[in-house]
Amino acid sequence: GIDKENLSTAYNNLTSGRVNNGITFTNPYYREAVVVIAMSMNQTEYFNLICHELHHLSVHIAMDSGYDLEGEEVCYINGDIAGMLYPTLKHLIA
């Protein structure tokens, strides 16, 4: 469900070969999201990149749900997503 302009930007971003790179795309109509975390230089940078992309995702979800971006809901969303992803991503940051 991504439009051609965003798809092209994402493709160029992720095929650039740059490290410490990622992208988050959400489709509010389908309530779906894609988060891509590319290669990183080290575990600290991976952790930074994961936090960065999860922030984008949490803000997208909060905005689409009508939550106050300064409220606790966004923080809980971010924490819940981080908890769900930890088993998959822990080898990148441990």
Side-chain angles (χ1 to χ4, degrees):
I2 190 171
D3 61 71
K4 288 182 181 182
E5 182 180 337
N6 282 323
L7 182 60
S8 178
T9 300
Y11 178 82
N12 291 334
N13 185 27
L14 295 172
T15 59
S16 70
R18 292 179 292 158
V19 295
N20 307 324
N21 198 8
I23 191 166
T24 298
F25 173 77
T26 57
N27 184 318
Y29 179 77
Y30 291 109
R31 300 185 62 83
E32 295 177 337
V34 174
V35 177
V36 178
I37 299 169
M39 295 187 330
S40 197
M41 294 173 60
N42 55 49
Q43 292 168 319
T44 302
E45 291 298 329
Y46 258 127
F47 186 66
N48 179 315
L49 186 56
I50 291 165
C51 291
H52 178 99
E53 295 305 327
L54 288 186
H55 177 74
H56 283 307
L57 179 59
S58 298
V59 168
H60 293 179
I61 292 169
M63 289 175 59
D64 293 336
S65 300
Y67 294 143
D68 177 3
L69 294 182
E70 294 181 8
E72 286 295 306
E73 291 91 353
V74 181
C75 297
Y76 287 122
I77 290 168
N78 202 8
D80 289 346
I81 295 168
M84 288 184 274
L85 290 177
Y86 180 76
T88 302
L89 301 175
K90 66 183 176 183
H91 71 281
L92 298 173
I93 59 175

